[in-house]
Structures are given as C-alpha cells and as structure tokens.
Amino acid sequence: MAKSGGFKEYQRENPKKIQIEERIKNFNEFEILLPKNNIIEQASRCMDCGIPFCHTFGCPTNNFICDWNHLVYKNHWKKALELLHLTNNFPEFTGRVCPALCEKSCTLSINFEPVIIKQIELQIIEKGWEEGWVLPIISNYKSGKKVAIIGSGPAGLACAQQLVREGHNVVVFEKNNRVGGLLRYGIPDFKLEKHIIDRRIEQLKAEGIIFETDVNVGSDISINYLKRTFDAIVIAIGAYEPRDINVIGRDLKGIHFALDFLINQNKINAGDKLSDEIINAKDKEVVIIGGGDTGADCVGTAKRQGAKSITQIEILPEPPKERQIYNPWPFYPKIYTTTSSHEEGCNRLWSLSVSRFEGENGFVKKIYLKKIIWDENNKLEKTSFRESNEPEIEIKADLVLLATGFLHVKLDTMLTSLNIKFDEKGNIKVDNNYMTSESKFFAAGDSITGASLVVKAINTGRKVAEKVNLYLNSI
Amino acid sequence: MKRYTKANGCLLQNGLYDPRFESDSCGVGFVAKLDGLPSHNIINCAIKVLINLEHRGALGGDKSTGDGAGIMIDIPDSFFRENLQNDSIKLPDLGDYGVGMIFLPSNEKHKENCIKYIEKFVFDEGCDILGWRKVPVNNSCIGELAKSTEPTIYQVFVHRGQIKRENFERKLYVIRRQIEKTIDAEKSDMSQFYIASFSSNRIVYKGLLTANQLNNYYLDLSDSRFKSKFGIVHQRYSTNTQPTWNLAQPFRFLAHNGEINTLNGNINRMKWREFHLKSDLFGDDIEKIKPIIIETGSDSAIFDNVLELLVLGGRSIPHAMMMMVPEAYGPKIHMSEDKRAFYDFHSAIMEPWDGPAAIIFTDSRYLGAILDRNGLRPTRYTVTKDGIIVLASESGVLEFTPENIIKKSRLSPGKMLLVDFNQNRVVPDKEIKAKISRQKPYRRWIKDNIITLRGLFTPSNAQEEDEETLLRKQLIFGYTEEELKLIISPMASRGQEPIGSMGNDTPLAVLSEKPNLLFYYFKQRFAQVTNPPIDPLREELVMSLESFVGGESNLLEESPENFKGFKLPHPIITPEDLNKIVIANHPDINVVWIDILFNKKDGEKALENAMESIFAKATYSIQSGITIFILSDYNTDENMIPIPSLLACSGLHQYLSKKGLRTRTSIIIHSGEVREIMHYALLVSYGADAICPYLVLSTIYNMAKNNLLEENLKPEEYIDSYIVAVKKGLLKTMSRLGISTFHSYFASQNFEAIGLCNELVEKYFSGTISRLDGINIEDIQKEAIERHNKGYSNKKNLEYFLPSGGEYSLRVDGEKHFWNPNSISLLQLSTKTDNYEIFKEFTNFVNNDERSPLAIRKILSFKKRNSIPINEVEPIESILKRFVISAMSFGSISKEAHETIAIAANRLGIRSNSGEGGEDIERNLNNSRSKVKQIASGRFGVTPEYILSADELQIKIAQGAKPGEGGQLPGHKVTPDIARVRHTTEGVTLISPPPHHDIYSIEDLAQLIYDLKCINPNSKISVKLVSESGVGTIASGVAKAQADIVVISGYEGGTGASPLTSIKHTGIPWEIGLAETHQTLIYNDLREKIKIQVDGQLKTGRDIVIATLLGAEEYGFATSILVTLGCVLLKKCHQNTCSTGIATQDPLLRAKFSGKPEYIERFLKFLAQEIREIMAYLGFRTINEMIGRTDILEFKPPINLWKAQKLNLSPILNPRIKNTNIYHIPNIQKDVEMYDDNFLNQLQPAIEHLSPIEISLPIKNIHRAVGARLSGYIINKYGQNYLPDDTIKINFYGSAGQSFGAFLTKGITFKIEGDANDYLGKSMAGGKIIVVPEKNASFSPHDNVICGNVTLYGATSGEVFINGKAGERFAVRNSGATAVVEGVGDHACEYMTGGVVVCIGSTGKNFAAGMSGGIAFIFDETQMFDTKCNLDMVDLESVWDKKDISFLRSLLEKHFLLTSSPKAKAILERWESSLPLFVKVIPLEYKKVLERIKQSEHRDIEIVSATEEVYNG
C-alpha cells in the first residue's frame, strides 16, 4: 500500500514540456521527465484500492499498477521494473504513446486528479535502462521448436519475446528495412524517438530472436517455405487498410492518407531513402479530416513542417468538457481533450462532413463541408445523424490529410495465397486459441482486432504467444 | 450444552438441525443449614429460591412446558424409613444403603428390561436390592410436551452388601455406569431411561418442569417428613424447545449456570486419558466405568461425569474443582507461590473447563460454589445469624429480617465458597485453596521435574535461504505477493494482525477455481449469545498461551511423574529453538523427524498411502521410546510434494488418540506452509503442540534484508514482531470462542469444514462439523501437485514474483470477487440514470457471468413451474416493505452518507439502521431518522431518547465481518460531532467490547429484551446473529426470549473495519445459516413467532428469491447501498481516506460525497421489480407463498467447476420437515408485565403538574427493569432533560431485580433499602439511584455486597450512591454518570469514556482497562491500588488540585447525606488525613492521544500497548 491519504497531501503533477516555440523547431520528444522525488510523491497518491480499476478494467495488459506504484513509493525501482515487465514487454513505448486508459479509470479520478500512472511507468523503465537493469533474459531451456512471426510491430515483437523466452527459436519477418512496424513508421518522433525502439531490439536480438528485414512474406519467401520450416507462424501485420472518403474531387493531388504523410516524415527523420513522393506541409493550408489521434499526429507533424494553417475536421459534435451522466467513470471519457499537438496551434471544427473537394490544375484548393445534425435518440449513445440544410462551408486547403481511420487488415499476397478466413469486419478470424482458419497459422494484434492501441497490440501479442507455446508443447 | 441426546428419540439430526448445537443457561442456587441438621424448611426454602429465579428459565412453544427444573438434597433417611415400612422394607443405617432415582421407559416391556439390568448389576457387584418404590407424582400440572415424554419414575434401594462403607459410593458409580452402558446399547428405544442419582447420601428430583411445577409434580417434596440439610436447585433455559427430562439439572454432583466453551477440547483429551487411567481405589473396576464421558449429555452433564471420576478417584471435591476450574494465575495476578505451583502442576494433567460458569457442587460433606475465571455469571450469597446460607444467581431470592443477616456477599471471578458440614462453617476461598495447595509438595515436584532448555526463545532467528530456493518454496506452498505485502509485512513490521474493511466477496474454497490450501476449507467458530467471547484486549490477564509439551500420565494419581515434559510460553518456535529441542540431552526428550511428503510419481493414492506410512512410522517410534514427533515438509524437492500440514497433523493426532498413544507424546509441526494466524489456530486446534514456521521466518528475513518491510528494524526484530502478532492473533481467535487458555484451545477442533467429503472428515478430522460434503483426499493431492508444479515448472526461468493473490483486493490473476469493475460500474450507471435495462445487465452479470464468483445461491437453480402473468404478483410497494438497509454506523460512514441512506429509506417507507454509533436526536425532525436503532456492546449513544426514537431496536450480537469481536472506530474518525453523539472523547480510538457486558448468556439476552420492551413497548426487537453451525438453535433461544426478528448475517457481509482473519475465515455463508434457522425454528414450533431477516452480499432479485425459498422474509442491504452512493470498494474505511466521501470523516473528502437518495430508491425498486418477474416466472403471487419452499430449488453446479460438483446441498434443501412454508404471523403485541404499572398511575398527576411526589414500595428480585417504563413515559412527554431533579422520589424496600433503574431519566430518584442485582442503572440518563442496606441490618455496609455486577453499563448521565460494595465491571462503558461506591469487583471502569467514579473501598483487579475518558477517585487505604489498576490507558496521581479536592469532598458529603454511610462519615471527619490516601485515575490526556495518533498514522497504538505487556511479561 502506498501512503495512506497521500493523494490529499500531493496534487497531481504533470510532466513539463518544452515550450511550444522551441519544440516545434524539430521532431524530438519534448516531454521532460519529472524528478525522481516528485515521482515518488506522485506514486504515493495511489490509494491501493480494493478494486484497482486501473489494473483490472483500464489497462488492457492488466499492468500491476498499484503494486508498482507502491514499490516506487518505497523506492524499490528495480523490483517495480520487474513487475512492470511481467505484464508489459515494452513499457517505454506505452509510457510514451498510450492514451492511458488506466488513468481514465483510476478511482482517484472520480473526485480528484488521477495518479500519473503513465509517467510513473515511463520513469520505471527509463530508470531501468539507465541503471542497466534491462538485460536479455535467456531461456535455459531449448524446445527445438521454430516459430515465424510476420510483422515487427508491437504485437509481433511482444509475441516474439514471449516465445523466445519459452525456449523456442523465433524468426521475425519484416517487409521494411527496419523493424518496429507502426511504432517506427506511424508514430511521429516527437512522441517516440526511434532509438528507443532500437535499444529494445538489441535486447530482443540478444535473447535469440532473429530479425529478417526487407522480406515480404508471400513474395520474397513462399508460404510453403514457411510451412515447411516453422512449427508455428504468427501473422501480426497490422490493419493498414485505410478508410477513404468517396466524394467529388477525391482524386485531386494533395489529398493523402494520414499514415502516408506520417511515414514519410518518419523516414526522412531516419535518413531513409524515400521511394514515394515527399508530402510536405510547408507553407500550406493543411486540412486534416478526422479528429482522432492520427489526426492529431498530423497536426504536430504539419506544424513542424511549417504549415501556414492547420484545420482539423471532425464529423462528431464537439464533445462536452465534462463527463455526461451516461458516460460516467470508469468508462473512457468522451470529453473534449487537447493534445500537445493541438496546443501547438490548430483550428478544430466539429459536426462537419466533407461534401466535395475543389482544385486547380489537378491540385486540391478548397474543401466543402456540410453541417451535421446529431439526433439524440437513445440515452446511451448518439447514433444517428443527418446533414443539415444550411449552406456548405468552404475552407481553403492545399494539403488534405485523411485521418479517417482504418478498416481492417490489408489483403496482401500472403493472405490470399493462404486462403485465410476473415471476420465480418474484414480482419483475420481466429479461434479461442488465436489460430486462424489455416492450421498452425496464428494471428495477433491489429490484424485480428482492427486498428487499435499499442498497448492492446502488446497484450494480444502476449496472449497469442501463450497459446502458441501451448500448441508447440503439444505437438 | 453442545452434545445430543437420544432422550425420547426426539433429538435426531434433521436437515441442518443438529442436536449437537443445543445450548443452555439458567438460574442456580442453594440453601443450607450450617449445623447440618436436616429440616423440611430447607427444602421449602430451596424451592422458594427456585421459584424466585423462574424468570431466568424459559418456556417452550407449548406454554406450560419448562426447560427443566430440579433439586438435589440429602437422602431423606427418616422419610424413606417411615415410607418404606408400609412396603415392609427395612432400611439399614444411613450410609449402608443407596438410593437410585431412576427414570424408566413408559413402555412396560422396556421398563421391565431396565429393571432386570439394574438388579443384575447390583447383584453382580456384590450388593443387594432392598426394594423398589414408585415415586408418587402428579402430572396434571405439567405441560403437554413434558407429558408426552414423561418417564415412569422409581427409586431403587440398594444395600451395600459385602462392600465396605468407604467404597460404597464408588461401587454405586461402577454399578450405574454398567447399567447405563448396557441399556444404551439396547436396540430398542430406551431414551427415556436415565439414572438421575445413585448414591448413599444424595438424591436428585428433577424433570421437564418449571420452577412452580416441581413442588406439585413430586409429591414427596411437600411432605413435612421430607428433610435435608441442604438443597441445590436449578432452573434451566435451553435454547431449544426439545429439552428432555434427563437434561434437567442438578446432575449427580453439581448444578451449573453457564456454558463450558472448551468442551470439545476437554472431551477429546479425556478420551486419550482414559487409556491410562489406573487407581488403587477402583482396581479392576476402572474398565467398567469407561468411557468416562457420556457424549450425549450436555456440557454440564459431561463436566459432572469427569468431576465424579476425580472425586470417586480419591480427590476431595474442592480439589477436583480447582483442577477443572482454575482461577487465572498469569504473571499479572498476585498469588502465593504454593497456589501458583498447584495450578502449574495441574495444568500438565488437566486443562481448564472454561466458560461462563457458576457451579454449585456437593459430595454431601462439602457444599460449595465456584465461579469461572472471568466472573461471567452472577453469584450472590447471604449468611444469617441462625445458620442459614443461601447462594443464588440473584440476591433476594429468600427474604430474611435485616437483623438476622450477618453477611451479604458475592463470589468473585475464579473464587470458591465452601460449606463444610463437618465443621459447620463457611470456609473462605483463601483457606480452602491454601490447604489444598499444600497437601502435596507441588512446588518441589515442579522444580525437580521441569526441563529447561537453555536459551530457548532467546533471540529469534531464521535460516537465510538463497533467493531462488526461497522463491521455489514459496511457490510450492502457495505464497502470494499479496500475503507478503498485506499479511506478513504488517505482522513483521508492527506486530499486528492487519486490518481491512468492506467484508469478503470471494468464493468459498470449494467454489473456487483455484487450488486452495487445506486451511481454507475450514471456518472458525465463534461465541454468540449462549456464551460470550472474551476480551483479549482489556481482559487479557485471564488469558494464557502457555503450553506443555510432554506431560500427562495417570489422571487419578498424584505424583511428580505427572509433570514430565517442558513448558513453552507459547506454541511458536523458531528453527533455532527446534534445534535445541532436537539436540537436548534429556532422557525424556526423544525426538524423531517424520517427513510429511508424498512422491508425485506414486499415483492417485500417493497422498493417502503417505499418510498411512506416517502413522506406521509414528507407532513404531513410540514403541522405541520416542516422545516428540517433528512433522516436517522441509525436504520437499522435485518429486516429493508436501502434504498439507493440517492433514498430517490432524491425521496423526487422531490416529494416535484413537490408539491411546497420544498422551506423553507431542507433535511439533515444522512446515513451510504455515504463515497466517488462521493456520496456527487450525493446527493447534487439531493437535499441534508447537509449530515451527520455518519458511515464513526465512521469508521475513529475506524481506528485511531487501528492505521490503515497513520499519527500520533488524531481521531478528522483525521475526520477533511477527511472532508477537501471531500470539495476539491466537489470543483473539481463542477469545472469539470464549476460550481463555491455550490448554483448553488445544485439540478442541473448533472449526467447521465446508467442502470436505464425509469420509475425509471422518478419517482425519473426525468430530468436525461438516455438512455439505465435498472434495476427497485425492482432490487434496491434486491441489498440492498443482501448487508444487508452480515451483518446478521446468521450462521457464522462475519469475521473481509470486502469484499476485487477489484474495483481499482484486487482481487479474487472482481470485474472483463479487464486486469488480463490471458489477460496480453497471450498478452505478443503472441507478444514476434510472435505467432498468442496465440494472438487468448488472444482475445478469452478477448471476451468470463467468467473471463473477460462485456462491452457494448460485449453484442452486429453480425448478420449472407454471408461470403466471406478472400483474398477478404482489406490487413493488408491498415487496419493498420487506427490505431493510442494514446497520452502518455514523462514525464508520460520514454524516452525509448516513443521512442520505435514512432519507432514501424514509421516502420508500422502509427501515434503515442507525448502526452502533448513536444518532443525533435532531434527525427525528428532518426525515433523516433511522427507524432501526442498534444496540451494540459499546452502547455508544444509547440514551433513552435514542431508544424511544426507534421503530425497531436491534441488538447486535455479532456482525458478519468480525463475529466475536467488537466494532472498532479508529481515533482519526472520531470527530467532535461523533464524539458528542457517542459520548466519548474526540480522537480516541473506540473499540467496543467483544461481549455485551449484560449478555453473557441466553437468559441475559431475554433480560435485555425485557428492558427494552419496558422502556419502548412500541418498538420491535430484533437480534442480529452471524451464520454458523448452530445458529438455528440460538435463533430458537432468541425467539423464546420474545424477540420479534432474528437477523442472520452471512460471513461475507461487513462494511466496517475488521482484522483480515475475521473477515476471511470466520462465519459461514448465510444460505446455510438461514436454512438451518428456518428448519430449526419449524422443528421447535417457533417459526411463526419470529421473523427471519437475512443479509450478506444480497444484490439481485435472484439472490432474494433464493433467500426466500430458504426461509427468509426480510432482506438487508448494505454494501450494495454504498455502491449506489458511489462506493468503489477502495477498502480503506479504516484509514479515513475514502475518496468518495462515504467512509470518512475528513471534511475535504466528505465534500466529495455525491450520492443521492434517489439512487438507493431506484436500486431497491429495481430489485423489487426483478423479484416480481422471477415470482411471475415461478408462479408465485406473494412472497409469503414462497417462504421456505426449498422444493422449488435444485442443486446445479456449473460443469466446469470440478470442486463445486462434489458438494451435496441436500441438508439445505431436503429437511425431513413436511410443511416448510411457514412464516412469521404477526400478532398483536402483548404488553409485557412490569412493576412500573403498579405505580405509574399514582405518579401521573405529579408528572402532569410537575409537582414533586414521594412514595414507598416493597420490591423483590422478580421485579425487573423497574423505572424503565416510567422513564419512557416521562421522556415521551417532556424529552430527556426536562423534569427538575427529585420531582419523583420512590423509596423501595427489599431486593431489587435486575436492571433496576435502567434508562432512569432526569427528575427521578430511586432509593432502595436492601440490595440490588445486576445491571443497576443500565443506560441511565439523568436519574439518581441510592442503594443502602436495610436500616437495622446488623452487618457493616462497607464490608458487604449490596449491588450486583455491571452497574451503570452504558450510562450517559445521572448519579448513583451505594452504601456498600458492588460486583464486577462496575461502570463499564459509563460515559457520563457519577457514582460513589464503597468497593468494587474486578474490571471496574472498563471502557469508561466519561463520568466520575468514587470508590471508598477495595477494588478488584484490572481497574480502568480501556478507560479513555472520565475520572475515578479511589480511597486507597492499603496503598496497593496501583497493582490492581490497568495502567495501559490511565495515569495515577494524588488529588492535589483544589477543584478536584472540593469536588471530591462535595460528592462524599452528598453520599453521606443520602446514605448515612459510616465510612463516608469517617473519611470526612478525618479529611486532612484521608485526602492523601485518595488516588485520582485519569486517562492520558486528550492532547497526548492526538499526538500519538499522529505519530503512528493509522496504526492502532492502543491495541499495541494494551496487549504488548502480557507477552513480554
């Protein structure tokens, strides 16, 4: 138990950030870690609840939050790290990019500010790296079984690590030249600098995982080879199929999917050669369609590229400032939030849908929007909407980024040749053991759930590993 | 009484009802002539005593059948002689013949058979039959029930024949035992047969009678030729209405008021001793009397069996009584070396038979009485000039002229009084005991034989284990992170058992999906109503953990041999201690190690076979002279799996016991499994003499080294502190059952098993209550293997963490909880948004979701019946009336939460409950009054106004989260507001005493109910009990005590702070207790008289329908109510940090409270609606139709839960009771008869006009609670503080009954000339009571006892002046009254929180224990007071302050003025020289308390200091 009544003694203290003018000059991370003593105080705010909603309800990987809060409060950082690693292979990723469902369900958040769980998590793992506590854990048992993992995003990596520690031979295939998947390519550096991934990959390698990059399974190597060589194969290829909007003018130049835009910048930062065209927002009137996290990442990236203006459009109405009666704690709050990217400057518009694009010389120039009216036909959720009769709104736009979400896993040659079954949403269908319709092929991460959070990907990666392990031990 | 009898064949086990659970209490007394000359008058007097004690007995369902009454007298020689002449029987001299008082079967053939056996054994043993006499009776006066079981009563006259006179009594015993055994073995129903007495000097007349019937039934008793020098009488109050003729008292040597709590252990140990009984006096006859104990008898009867053996085996009766009922002789108690040696010596051969007990005993030469060490039964006596002594539970049972009285006194705790008819005098306690203590050189015997192991218990230490081995072992033994953090760490850091709150919402071990340690299939039993728990905090001086390893030989021999072995101050030993025992070089210490392991490769029977080889090895070892077995699981490895230590321990213990090999051998458990208090308690209770918990000690060592513990101590200090915590926990566990000493707790098996199969229990735990069947030994093996696999999973590197646990707070890999994020969020969402569909989601989740744990109700399902349309079902409104909101105190929860609950209840027209913390009277005005007012042992805020503001008064005997313990309110929650309402000091931790100090017994409960009905006749009375085996029997007693409602609380309930052991391991699910209660009440024809309410984690309509089908008709809710108000089960109630503003008094947090009455209203309406839906589905139109319809239920466990499959719920569902659909039928409330009615009319005009009035009245002990009705009348009219002082003055003459002046309000003055009994001035508020001896009494008032026990209990204001001494626990829980008294017994001013006590005479021991407020002045003539005062919470100083001096003087002047006390006069006359002899007792200053609380944060320092000393001492 942390300090009794600690939350009354100490207020929540959020980590400081580098000043906006400074931070937008580059793509580096800008959050400053709190001093360790403050972290201990902050950890003491944890109430060690009889029912830790953070651990059992909020956190998808069920991190033992209250327990490591206690250990941090007692200054047992190393033990806290061991405990954190027990449920989360990569806390340095989630500690940076997780939307912190735990904090939303923290019981303190009912009447007070929640514990800064995410920051504590980050500090535990960063201290671990600093102190050299993050060492390869090499299994003293070798099963002789071979596993292939396709895709090196958070799900694939977590799965790989769990399996190599069970004593299996693990090979990870990645179609890009660097591993990390969306972690590396989708998340802007200012949220996750990529050397953070690299140092973790070193640990994974040391534990025995073999990474095969620039390998496109299905074309560079055959499915039959996979089947022949490996005892189990885990597909963890994400859910890259973006949702498009089919309106007049969609084919104009200057309209891109958000992810292409983000990948572009990440590759530039990494010094990679770019095969695609460069999408840059410099001096442009940027309009981002979609009010979610990807949209926000586009805002920050466009800002750093030097956009002239940035507007973000959302079809949903502007959320309320506070929780509404039908959206109480501990459920995820549907409230107005301002991300750090939004702080950096952006115009946000609500209840609008794109009706058409207008361009000049094949390049987009304007975007027309229709006002949306939401009906409140059910107390629990606002479900139906219609377009209003008001006249269209016209906005200038040189660069339009579609951050309207992802549909499902991208159907590639591998999947087609495998003849794998999909669920009604278009994601890979798995049974209770996470096995696909194809024997010894398993699937993990976004490819089975649709696009979701890093933390959820890590979690399914771990769960799949558990099942794969059982499977391997049974054959 | 706890055993079952076959009498009349009635008492057979039936469903959950088990006659073993029967219990009784009563009134006792004797009258004797010191000159020893028989007279008929003595018999008349004795019967008069009996009649005057009638209110202490009880009537059954059939109004005229008593629970039993009887009388023991000398053989009325001349009466028999004359009487038998007619039958031409010539009696030889008195002493040469014996008389058997025989109950014969009414069936002629059986009767003849019995007679045949009797005559056979008389002849066989060399005696002669002189003749038979049919005892003349008149059965027209007795009740139907009694008549239906009435035996034919004969007396048989036996000549001693060739037997020597001095051996004749013994021979009669031998004859009787053989007759009893033979007839008992008959196949046909001989249950009416019974030998009431069979002696050459005493005879017993008794039966299933009331006091008034005894005389009319037995015609002999009224014959003027019928004479005796003494008469012992007894009036029984059994909790069941199936009492029998045989169980009426007196027995052959004694009559007993109270209960032997330690009976199980006593019986078990007597069984082993039987193997070694040898006696020159008995010779070969010894085999004929075995078994000594007739287990079908009551506790008193069994006590009598053993007493008989000891007395006829050659010990004097006072000696035997000293052995069986030793007084407390711990280090804090002053006594002579010889006496201490006597008790020490005898502790090695006989454990105390302990419990509330006033025992009257006689062997005809001696007639005596003894009181238990706690003084929990009242015993008053009077000696007259004309040589009569009368002793009884109450004073005033016989009237004497004042001039005639020489002495009025009482028995103090542990003391004995003896009449010696040879010396024709009363022998005082000191003299008897001094003489007996010196009759043998006990002191030398001890010195010569004690084995001292040098260095034992000096520094605690543990083996250091390397991390991996430690971790592996922790995994094998099922350790969890939670245990390390939540249980072991606080024990090691603070020497304190951890406290938690919000009850237990995890499944029973047998309903869990996880492997559970065998320990968790057991539940602790506890005392409620029929016997009180003991107070291990404030009265620890009577408790002891000392154990004796070795010892025990022939019980009937007095020799130094008896004391071979060694003593341990407590049963927990470190590995180092164990090593000292192992290497000890002493001929009497021969140790063998036995591995308790089984090989996992040995197949399905591996564990069972391993047990057999343990037994074989043990048997072999004993033959080779081994005296100590060390059962060790230390050598566990990859293949060898530890046997659960409890199984090994109990298995071996029982095996050896049954073979007669258990005495002289000791079992030491050396196990890695043992860590929690529950584990130690179980092992000790199942036969472990000592326990070495090596792994937990290594764990602590390791945690200390890694800096994972709270304080900054050395590893050894942590280990010490852990052991202290275990000791305290053991004391608490024992005290919860009302057991004071380790000797008595050892091998007592005071647990109930749930989920173990019958064969398993029979073989390894025989005698343990286990009613629902369950898993077998192979399943235990399976669970052990599962745990072991965790430690040896070969593939992975061990992770440096144990499983998280999740027993107390939810963890994802741990145990399931009823309250979890889903259930909480759904319930809150549905009630906040008034959405019934979401509510259904909630109930669906709780009832069906696999993430919600199992309970017994969930493995029951409904049978299909024809449904009906829902509109035919009774409406929501009428169902709501059956809902109550259970007790949660103002103090434990905030004002806001408390009032919101009451407002919601009042809006719905249902009842909410104040809880035990009192309630602001202002709340009557704004619709936030709680309709139910609770009365708990602390009596906080229990003022007359509080009682009068109730629609229902609830007596809380126990609460689900901590039965057998009092409530606790930590100091930081005692705000000024709360202190005001509770009449206590701000910031001082409030602990309610474990027992109600006015309920030590069932007749006391009846008395309290009577008191309450006197003051508030309009209120219903409910009694809150906790589910345990036997609760049905207690409920029957409650029904007979005239309560209206009995509440059965499940073990899982509880919103307040409690020790974790109590939350988790005490009590059983309500389903079992409820079904048992319903069945037992029906069985006893009492069900219609009382309403059954149930509570404990009720959440859904389904829960309630099942409760109804099992017999409930009202339903209580607490936790769910709090959840609707925003509670999210932080479980921090005890820390005052509840961030939802519910269970806190912090203004910052209270401001956050956001609950609304609507939420509660919606929840309860939803529930009612859901109940209606289920009723429609099941085709029930009304709740009444459903009550008790267990035929609708069937057992349907989920397929995937293998353990649940093994249960057998038929005892719950299929009682052999035909009509189960019986429920409470409200009848018009009868006003109770009370003495106040005689004078109320006379006073009314004066009350109307506020004109002073003074009247005089006679009074007798049968007039109880005098003044309560009068006070109620006045308060209803004017309020509590309106009447001017002395407006009404009543002078009473005689002996006042119990609760004299209870609730006495301002303006009333009572003066009693004579004496008073127990509970004088109970809950008094402003009245004045004066007690003086009769004017012309010849004794000195100062030296005599004229006032009973527990005076001023819970008084809040007023004054008492007593010109004489009072009994035990004077002014306990006084919070404002002023008293002057001339002597008090033990434990005076206990738990006092306010008021003033002046004592100008002697005090007993343990003065001021737990006193946190008020002051006391003691006139300490002997200058010994400091040795008697409990200085844990008070300081002593002289009276120097001028204000104090004048205050004291004015009180003494007033005392003199009102009582004419000669002592007061003498003191005042010599004021200058008297004053320095006064000592002022003051609780440590409020400021200091505040500081201490701050320093120790939430640590309960009072507890620490209160219990620390006894261990260090």
Side-chain angles (χ1 to χ4, degrees), chain B residues 461-697:
Chain B
N461 212 336
Q463 222 163 320
E464 200 182 337
E465 295 265 19
D466 72 88
E467 301 248 338
E468 188 173 327
T469 315
L470 185 68
L471 188 69
R472 202 180 288 286
K473 286 212 164 161
Q474 288 171 338
L475 285 167
I476 291 170
F477 290 109
Y479 276 55
T480 66
E481 288 293 326
E482 185 176 44
E483 282 175 325
L484 299 189
K485 182 169 127 184
L486 210 65
I487 295 180
I488 295 169
S489 161
M491 286 171 80
S493 308
R494 293 184 245 145
Q496 196 69 10
E497 188 184 7
I499 285 178
S501 34
M502 294 304 289
N504 174 24
D505 60 347
T506 54
L508 290 169
V510 71
L511 297 180
S512 164
E513 292 169 3
K514 310 232 160 220
N516 272 259
L517 295 179
L518 182 59
F519 298 122
Y520 303 141
Y521 292 86
F522 290 79
K523 294 284 175 193
Q524 284 182 25
R525 293 177 49 73
F526 50 92
Q528 53 183 347
V529 185
T530 50
N531 49 359
I534 292 168
D535 192 335
L537 283 189
R538 306 304 183 206
E539 300 184 8
E540 29 77 4
L541 74 170
V542 301
M543 301 192 75
S544 154
L545 279 177
E546 196 172 77
S547 76
F548 197 90
V549 175
E552 292 236 14
S553 52
N554 180 11
L555 177 65
L556 296 180
E557 199 180 26
E558 289 263 293
S559 89
E561 284 294 297
N562 288 340
F563 202 79
K564 281 250 164 89
F566 55 94
K567 274 189 159 198
L568 299 175
H570 60 78
I572 304 111
I573 52 181
T574 64
E576 220 169 303
D577 296 334
L578 186 64
N579 194 37
K580 281 177 189 139
I581 295 171
V582 172
I583 59 172
N585 186 13
H586 192 283
D588 289 334
I589 300 181
N590 296 308
V591 177
V592 62
W593 289 78
I594 301 183
D595 275 344
I596 48 171
L597 303 167
F598 68 91
N599 192 324
K600 74 172 168 192
K601 293 175 180 158
D602 284 354
E604 276 181 6
K605 299 269 174 204
L607 174 55
E608 197 172 353
N609 294 337
M611 289 294 292
E612 293 305 321
S613 47
I614 292 172
F615 300 160
K617 181 160 185 197
T619 314
Y620 170 80
S621 308
I622 287 176
Q623 284 155 4
S624 54
I626 292 296
T627 56
I628 296 175
F629 298 112
I630 301 176
L631 300 186
S632 173
D633 54 26
Y634 190 79
N635 295 327
T636 174
D637 62 23
E638 202 162 347
N639 294 316
M640 297 308 286
I641 299 179
I643 295 174
S645 54
L646 179 61
L647 180 69
C649 172
S650 182
L652 179 61
H653 166 77
Q654 297 224 346
Y655 177 84
L656 295 177
S657 303
K658 285 169 195 163
K659 297 265 173 200
L661 299 170
R662 184 64 179 89
T663 47
R664 290 242 142 194
T665 58
S666 300
I667 298 176
I668 296 177
I669 301 295
H670 180 247
S671 170
E673 196 185 19
V674 190
R675 50 208 186 255
E676 270 188 56
I677 285 156
M678 174 73 172
H679 307 167
Y680 294 94
L682 267 164
L683 285 169
V684 166
S685 191
Y686 282 90
D689 291 273
I691 297 152
C692 174
Y694 64 84
L695 185 57
V696 73
L697 300 184

Side-chain angles (χ1 to χ4, degrees), chain B residues 9-111:
Chain B
C10 279
L11 297 190
L12 292 174
Q13 193 174 340
N14 196 346
L16 287 171
Y17 167 70
D18 189 330
R20 277 196 288 178
F21 307 143
E22 261 201 276
S23 204
D24 65 3
S25 260
C26 9
V28 286
F30 74 65
V31 185
K33 276 181 80 191
L34 295 178
D35 60 14
L37 300 176
S39 86
H40 182 62
N41 184 40
I42 282 295
I43 289 166
N44 282 342
C45 286
I47 288 168
K48 202 186 269 173
V49 167
L50 189 63
I51 291 169
N52 281 332
L53 289 172
E54 181 153 31
H55 54 269
R56 300 182 78 93
L59 296 176
D62 142 29
K63 280 289 166 210
S64 49
T65 298
D67 282 355
I71 183 167
M72 178 175 9
I73 49 172
D74 283 324
I75 285 185
D77 180 60
S78 54
F79 171 80
F80 282 143
R81 204 167 288 281
E82 286 176 37
N83 212 302
L84 290 174
Q85 267 173 1
N86 308 337
D87 305 324
S88 58
I89 299 171
K90 194 172 175 326
L91 288 178
D93 287 349
L94 181 63
D96 287 341
Y97 71 94
V99 187
M101 183 82 174
I102 320 269
F103 293 174
L104 290 168
S106 32
N107 174 309
E108 271 305 312
K109 210 180 104 208
H110 292 165
K111 187 181 119 190

Side-chain angles (χ1 to χ4, degrees), chain A residues 241-293:
Chain A
E241 190 67 50
R243 181 180 285 114
D244 206 343
I245 48 174
N246 293 311
V247 293
I248 298 165
R250 168 65 182 88
D251 53 355
L252 287 166
K253 287 189 176 160
I255 303 176
H256 301 273
F257 286 115
L259 193 57
D260 294 337
F261 172 70
L262 295 173
I263 290 173
N264 211 290
Q265 183 59 48
N266 278 329
K267 285 190 173 172
I268 293 171
N269 292 350
D272 283 6
K273 268 193 239 155
L274 290 182
S275 49
D276 322 310
E277 64 167 318
I278 292 174
I279 311 167
N280 197 303
K282 190 166 172 57
D283 298 332
K284 287 188 179 147
E285 314 252 18
V286 180
V287 176
I288 298 155
I289 315 291
D293 287 338

